[in-house]
Amino acid sequence: MPSLKDYRDRIASGKSTKKITSAMKMVAASKLKKAQDQAEASQPYAKAMGEMLARVAQGVTITDASPKLLIGTGSDQNHLLVVVTSDRGLCGGFNGNLVRKARMEIMSLEGEGKNVQIITVGRKARDLLKRQY
């Protein structure tokens, strides 16, 4: 049977763990706030970039002499999927859902007889998709 000292040690250990967890929570909240602020600050740039690309697209005239990349081939036989996953942090569910969705999309496109090519960004996507594709 544990002694009174053992119980006190366990209580002290629990309090210490609680303090550490609380500190980690505060650090995570601070990092999240910083990331949110940066994302909000980038909105005007993203909007300006979209408007600039729209102006460029309006100014493009397509002729028979235009490059194939610009006018396209009229075929939708080839598809390129770019799967971007995270290599850091506690985001296993995020990565898993992305890879699951990518697999569903690949199976859907292959079921229609399309050619699918995959580019992965991130170690998790590469490791999980390279087994099958």
Side-chain angles (χ1 to χ4, degrees):
M1 178 167 166
S3 68
L4 187 59
K5 182 174 177 359
D6 292 334
Y7 286 127
R8 285 186 183 142
D9 288 345
R10 287 204 55 187
I11 290 171
S13 174
K15 287 180 181 178
S16 175
T17 302
K18 184 177 178 180
K19 286 180 185 178
I20 292 170
T21 305
S22 175
M24 291 172 68
K25 185 177 177 182
M26 289 172 55
V27 168
S30 172
K31 286 183 178 181
L32 177 63
K33 177 71 172 135
K34 183 178 176 184
Q36 286 176 334
D37 290 343
Q38 289 176 341
E40 289 173 4
S42 70
Q43 288 300 317
Y45 299 107
K47 185 177 178 183
M49 181 66 75
E51 291 170 357
M52 186 266 310
L53 287 175
R55 285 193 308 271
V56 169
Q58 285 177 345
V60 172
T61 55
I62 297 175
T63 64
D64 292 336
S66 297
K68 267 191 176 179
L69 284 175
L70 184 61
I71 61 173
T73 61
S75 170
D76 67 344
Q77 188 63 26
N78 296 319
H79 291 263
L80 175 67
L81 289 180
V82 180
V83 183
V84 181
T85 58
S86 175
D87 288 338
R88 300 183 64 190
L90 301 172
C91 50
F94 172 74
N95 291 333
N97 287 332
L98 281 173
V99 171
R100 186 178 314 113
K101 177 67 176 166
R103 284 183 176 144
M104 288 173 29
E105 190 68 24
I106 292 166
M107 286 191 292
S108 170
L109 290 170
E110 287 180 342
E112 296 173 9
K114 311 286 184 180
N115 297 326
V116 180
Q117 294 181 337
I118 305 165
I119 293 178
T120 59
V121 178
R123 188 179 66 244
K124 301 287 185 184
R126 182 198 65 209
D127 292 345
L128 292 172
L129 290 174
K130 114 173 139 176
R131 297 179 199 151
Q132 204 171 11
Y133 304 103

Short mmCIF file of all heavy atoms in Angstrom, two decimals, residues 74-79 112-116:
data_model
loop_
_atom_site.label_atom_id
_atom_site.label_comp_id
_atom_site.label_asym_id
_atom_site.label_seq_id
_atom_site.Cartn_x
_atom_site.Cartn_y
_atom_site.Cartn_z
N GLY A 74 -7.57 21.10 -75.92
CA GLY A 74 -8.96 20.71 -76.05
C GLY A 74 -9.23 19.35 -75.44
O GLY A 74 -10.35 18.88 -75.42
N SER A 75 -8.21 18.71 -74.92
CA SER A 75 -8.36 17.39 -74.31
C SER A 75 -8.20 17.49 -72.80
O SER A 75 -7.38 18.25 -72.30
CB SER A 75 -7.28 16.44 -74.86
OG SER A 75 -7.26 15.24 -74.12
N ASP A 76 -9.01 16.75 -72.08
CA ASP A 76 -8.87 16.71 -70.62
C ASP A 76 -8.46 15.32 -70.16
O ASP A 76 -8.84 14.86 -69.10
CB ASP A 76 -10.15 17.17 -69.93
CG ASP A 76 -11.30 16.19 -70.15
OD1 ASP A 76 -11.20 15.35 -71.05
OD2 ASP A 76 -12.28 16.28 -69.40
N GLN A 77 -7.66 14.65 -71.00
CA GLN A 77 -7.24 13.28 -70.72
C GLN A 77 -6.19 13.23 -69.61
O GLN A 77 -6.17 12.31 -68.82
CB GLN A 77 -6.70 12.64 -72.00
CG GLN A 77 -6.42 11.15 -71.89
CD GLN A 77 -7.67 10.35 -71.61
OE1 GLN A 77 -8.78 10.75 -71.94
NE2 GLN A 77 -7.51 9.22 -70.96
N ASN A 78 -5.31 14.20 -69.54
CA ASN A 78 -4.22 14.20 -68.57
C ASN A 78 -4.55 15.13 -67.40
O ASN A 78 -4.97 16.26 -67.61
CB ASN A 78 -2.91 14.64 -69.22
CG ASN A 78 -2.47 13.67 -70.29
OD1 ASN A 78 -2.57 12.46 -70.12
ND2 ASN A 78 -1.99 14.19 -71.39
N HIS A 79 -4.34 14.62 -66.19
CA HIS A 79 -4.60 15.40 -64.98
C HIS A 79 -3.37 15.35 -64.09
O HIS A 79 -2.73 14.31 -63.95
CB HIS A 79 -5.80 14.84 -64.21
CG HIS A 79 -7.09 15.03 -64.93
ND1 HIS A 79 -7.93 16.07 -64.67
CD2 HIS A 79 -7.68 14.32 -65.92
CE1 HIS A 79 -8.98 15.99 -65.45
NE2 HIS A 79 -8.85 14.93 -66.23
N GLU A 112 -12.60 6.94 -64.83
CA GLU A 112 -13.09 7.59 -66.04
C GLU A 112 -12.13 7.39 -67.21
O GLU A 112 -12.36 7.90 -68.30
CB GLU A 112 -13.28 9.08 -65.80
CG GLU A 112 -14.33 9.42 -64.77
CD GLU A 112 -14.37 10.89 -64.43
OE1 GLU A 112 -13.70 11.69 -65.13
OE2 GLU A 112 -15.07 11.25 -63.48
N GLY A 113 -11.03 6.67 -66.98
CA GLY A 113 -10.06 6.42 -68.04
C GLY A 113 -9.07 7.54 -68.27
O GLY A 113 -8.45 7.62 -69.33
N LYS A 114 -8.89 8.40 -67.29
CA LYS A 114 -7.96 9.54 -67.42
C LYS A 114 -6.56 9.13 -66.97
O LYS A 114 -6.38 8.22 -66.17
CB LYS A 114 -8.43 10.72 -66.55
CG LYS A 114 -9.87 11.09 -66.71
CD LYS A 114 -10.14 11.79 -67.99
CE LYS A 114 -11.60 12.21 -68.02
NZ LYS A 114 -11.96 12.88 -69.21
N ASN A 115 -5.57 9.84 -67.48
CA ASN A 115 -4.19 9.67 -67.03
C ASN A 115 -3.94 10.62 -65.87
O ASN A 115 -4.19 11.82 -65.99
CB ASN A 115 -3.19 9.98 -68.16
CG ASN A 115 -3.36 9.04 -69.33
OD1 ASN A 115 -3.68 7.88 -69.16
ND2 ASN A 115 -3.15 9.54 -70.53
N VAL A 116 -3.43 10.09 -64.76
CA VAL A 116 -3.22 10.91 -63.57
C VAL A 116 -1.74 10.91 -63.22
O VAL A 116 -1.12 9.86 -63.14
CB VAL A 116 -4.04 10.37 -62.37
CG1 VAL A 116 -3.80 11.23 -61.14
CG2 VAL A 116 -5.52 10.33 -62.71
#
